[in-house]
Amino acid sequence: MTEVVVATDEEQLLSRISNLVARAADDAISRDDRIFRFGVSGGSMVELLAKCLPNIATDWSKWRFFFCDERVVPLEDPESNFGLYKTNFIGKVPVTEEQFIKVDPELNAENAAKDYIKKMAFFFPPDRLPRFDCLLLGLGQDGHTCSLFPGHRTLDDENMWVTWELNSPKPPSSRISLTMPVINNARMCVFIATGAGKAEIVEKVLRDKKDLPATRVEPVDGTLFWLLDQEAASRLHNTE
């Protein structure tokens, strides 16, 4: 199932984000009292989450944060997604650095991806695709999501949990990313796109169905949400 939600203002957008994440967390924690396996992206999403997630009533100790993609740079580098969360999120929400499953920046991209698979394997059965409870996804103006850019060599490789990129068309060049089969195995995927700069690519993905990485996000046994503001949705028609 796919649901497109166009928020009238930031307050409504933040409310939608927090409600979806809270629902996913409640469902996960209530299943045998286990952890909430939550995949996050970087960029402007960090600030949005820092605004809306503190209002959630939850057992924060059960949350584990994974990165849908990460830049293979030092953790204190401004380009590090973990660095963004450390600076702008931890402290506003009662979670610790240890609850984030981090990439090893001392490794090259290929080995960092393989190392991240080993870290993930502690939280997922090793003999099947990981099933995340919720993934928050961003949308690039070229249609990429996570660090899966158009034409990525391992976009649909079902034998890999995490892939890597050595020559990203968007700096920094070295990155790791969840693969499309892992993304599509999630219980819930949530795209968040805001601003007029995203209007054209939102139209290409949602209305025109162009063959782009973001268009290929279709959870096999889960729910897909698109949370947009008025500007990002401005080129869509007949969207409720």
Side-chain angles (χ1 to χ4, degrees):
M1 184 185 81
T2 300
E3 182 176 340
V4 179
V5 176
V6 181
T8 56
D9 53 28
E10 185 182 72
E11 182 179 358
Q12 188 180 77
L13 178 70
L14 294 174
S15 176
R16 288 285 190 161
I17 296 170
S18 62
N19 287 343
L20 285 177
V21 174
R23 188 172 86 193
D26 287 346
D27 288 348
I29 294 170
S30 66
R31 282 191 298 271
D32 301 322
D33 197 38
R34 65 181 183 80
I35 60 173
F36 175 42
R37 296 173 293 193
F38 186 32
V40 294
S41 301
S44 59
M45 188 178 295
V46 184
E47 183 179 350
L48 292 174
L49 296 181
K51 288 180 179 179
C52 68
L53 292 193
N55 301 320
I56 292 178
T58 184
D59 182 351
W60 290 104
S61 69
K62 299 289 182 64
W63 289 46
R64 294 296 180 273
F65 296 81
F66 300 79
F67 291 99
C68 297
D69 71 324
E70 177 61 290
R71 295 84 180 272
V72 187
V73 295
L75 299 181
E76 64 274 9
D77 190 293
E79 296 285 357
S80 165
N81 283 340
F82 171 72
L84 285 175
Y85 281 90
K86 182 177 180 179
T87 302
N88 301 294
F89 184 81
I90 297 174
K92 296 180 180 178
V93 177
V95 296
T96 66
E97 289 187 31
E98 289 68 34
Q99 288 172 254
F100 285 77
I101 314 307
K102 298 181 282 293
V103 170
D104 186 345
E106 300 297 322
L107 302 174
N108 62 33
E110 179 178 354
N111 288 329
K114 293 175 179 177
D115 179 68
Y116 207 65
I117 292 170
K118 292 179 182 177
K119 291 176 178 175
M120 286 172 57
F122 183 78
F123 300 93
F124 297 96
D127 57 345
R128 68 193 74 166
L129 276 176
R131 185 153 169 78
F132 281 95
D133 299 304
C134 181
L135 296 177
L136 296 188
L137 305 173
L139 175 67
Q141 292 183 343
D142 60 354
H144 82 264
T145 189
C146 302
S147 283
L148 299 175
F149 294 89
H152 193 284
R153 71 194 186 291
T154 58
L155 190 62
D156 298 310
D157 191 336
E158 295 188 0
N159 295 314
M160 296 180 66
W161 290 9
V162 181
T163 187
W164 62 91
E165 179 62 68
L166 298 174
N167 297 292
S168 166
K170 181 181 179 182
S173 58
S174 294
R175 298 160 173 253
I176 72 162
S177 175
L178 298 180
T179 60
M180 193 60 69
V182 170
I183 295 170
N184 281 332
N185 201 44
R187 287 187 166 85
M188 179 189 293
C189 291
V190 183
F191 273 102
I192 302 173
T194 60
K198 296 295 175 67
E200 182 177 357
I201 190 60
V202 165
E203 177 187 33
K204 288 179 179 178
V205 172
L206 286 180
R207 197 189 72 178
D208 301 339
K209 305 295 184 183
K210 297 284 188 182
D211 185 17
L212 296 164
T215 314
R216 296 192 188 189
V217 176
E218 297 179 323
V220 176
D221 186 25
T223 308
L224 173 62
F225 292 91
W226 281 82
L227 303 185
L228 310 172
D229 65 3
Q230 296 282 331
E231 291 181 327
S234 61
R235 295 176 63 153
L236 296 178
H237 302 290
N238 301 319
T239 299
E240 296 183 1

